[in-house]
């Protein structure tokens, strides 16, 4: 063998430097091993012959699509895509889709709408395991949106925020960690376990500026600054800002979650008993301080 090394050691070295592999570029070593007496002879000897010609290319080496054109030579590595697998993703939902959910009575506009309510409709799906961190509200159908709602999403454009507030609604952008997102996706499954509701984790460093900005309607922003930015946005888009203080649904529109809260109306540390239809609250001040700190 070349350099006194066998094909197994060379294959291991090749795997360490190759990009990800798939079913189309994995050599069929197992099938070749069963074909005794073929023209090429034993697969180990055949692989060794190819390795002598080109140590980087072997017909049976992992990572090669064919004998002459391995995929790592066809497509060079791009450093730009190296960290994309760790980026947070926000599956979009448009204002047109949101209006359709309301028209079909999938959403109750008399109550605050968050990620749990939208997932309950069955018309929006996201997977936390795929780095999905919630809803990205887009402005498609902004001219047709007519509902007055209290909406909480994870990302929103400026025009979509204007469309919500133009109709007298309120929008908030809030961050949820992976554990909280899993609970919001299927609350019933979590409540059936009989575990206490955990507290929501704060946003990471690269998201703090977004969720503390009143321009983005962040849940960590100053409420007085948000009121001022509502007026600024109405002047920018040329609409009259409704006075939500005089609205009959003012209390509903102003409901907001605590930064440590996951579900509306349920505090961290509580236990929901679905069988007996009761909520167990902790009376220990030390435990309550832990969940709210």
């Amino acid at each position: 063998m070349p350099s006194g090394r066998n094909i197994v050691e060379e294959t291991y070295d090749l795997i360490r430097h190759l990009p990800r592999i798939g079913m189309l570029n994995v050599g069929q070593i197992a099938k070749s091993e069963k074909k005794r007496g073929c023209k090429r002879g034993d697969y180990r000897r055949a692989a060794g012959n190819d390795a002598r010609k080109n140590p980087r290319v072997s017909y049976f080496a992992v990572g090669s699509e064919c004998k002459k054109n391995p995929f790592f030579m066809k497509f060079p590595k791009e450093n730009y895509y190296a960290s994309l697998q760790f980026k947070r993703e926000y599956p979009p939902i448009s204002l047109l889709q949101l209006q359709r959910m309301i028209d079909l009575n999938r959403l109750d506009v008399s109550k605050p709408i968050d990620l749990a309510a939208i997932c309950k409709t069955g018309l929006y799906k996201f997977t936390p395991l795929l780095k999905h961190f919630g809803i990205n509200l887009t402005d498609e159908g902004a001219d047709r949106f007519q509902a007055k709602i209290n909406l909480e999403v994870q990302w929103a454009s400026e025009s979509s925020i204007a469309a919500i507030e133009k109709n007298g609604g309120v929008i908030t952008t809030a961050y949820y960690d992976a554990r909280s997102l899993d609970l919001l996706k299927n609350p019933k499954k979590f409540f059936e376990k009989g575990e206490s509701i955990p507290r929501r984790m704060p946003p990471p460093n690269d998201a703090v500026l977004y969720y503390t900005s009143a321009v983005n309607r962040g849940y960590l922003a100053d409420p007085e600054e948000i009121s001022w930015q509502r007026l600024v946005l109405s002047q920018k888009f040329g609409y009259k800002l409704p006075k939500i203080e005089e609205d009959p649904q003012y209390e509903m529109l102003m409901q907001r979650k605590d930064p440590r809260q996951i579900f509306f109306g349920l505090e961290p540390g509580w236990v929901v008993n679905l069988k007996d239809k009761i909520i167990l609250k902790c009376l220990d001040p030390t435990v309550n301080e832990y969940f709210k700190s």
Side-chain angles (χ1 to χ4, degrees), residues 23-148:
M23 295 301 297
L24 296 178
N25 51 45
V26 177
Q28 300 179 0
I29 298 178
K31 293 183 179 180
S32 301
E33 187 175 6
K34 297 179 180 179
K35 297 180 180 179
R36 301 295 182 181
C38 59
K39 294 183 179 180
R40 291 180 59 86
D42 186 74
Y43 79 96
R44 295 186 180 89
R45 185 169 64 253
N49 293 335
D50 288 338
R52 292 188 186 95
K53 299 177 182 178
N54 189 351
R56 292 190 61 192
V57 182
S58 176
Y59 181 76
F60 297 100
V62 176
S64 59
E65 294 178 353
C66 59
K67 189 174 181 180
K68 297 182 179 180
N69 298 317
F71 74 95
F72 60 86
M73 288 186 176
K74 284 184 178 180
F75 308 102
K77 179 181 178 181
E78 291 287 346
N79 295 328
Y80 173 78
Y81 301 102
S83 60
L84 285 183
Q85 57 181 335
F86 304 108
K87 296 293 184 179
R88 293 185 296 272
E89 298 182 7
Y90 300 88
I93 184 172
S94 65
L95 289 170
L96 185 63
Q97 292 175 304
L98 194 63
Q99 183 66 56
R100 182 171 178 266
M101 295 178 186
I102 297 172
D103 295 339
L104 295 175
N105 295 325
R106 298 289 188 96
L107 292 175
D108 187 1
V109 296
S110 63
K111 300 179 181 179
I113 299 174
D114 62 347
L115 182 60
I118 293 178
C119 290
K120 187 179 178 181
T121 63
L123 301 177
Y124 178 81
K125 295 182 180 180
F126 79 106
T127 307
L129 293 178
L130 298 179
K131 299 296 181 181
H132 294 173
F133 275 77
I135 298 172
N136 175 19
L137 185 64
T138 62
D139 59 354
E140 181 184 1
D143 54 340
R144 301 182 183 180
F145 189 79
Q146 301 176 352
K148 180 173 60 177

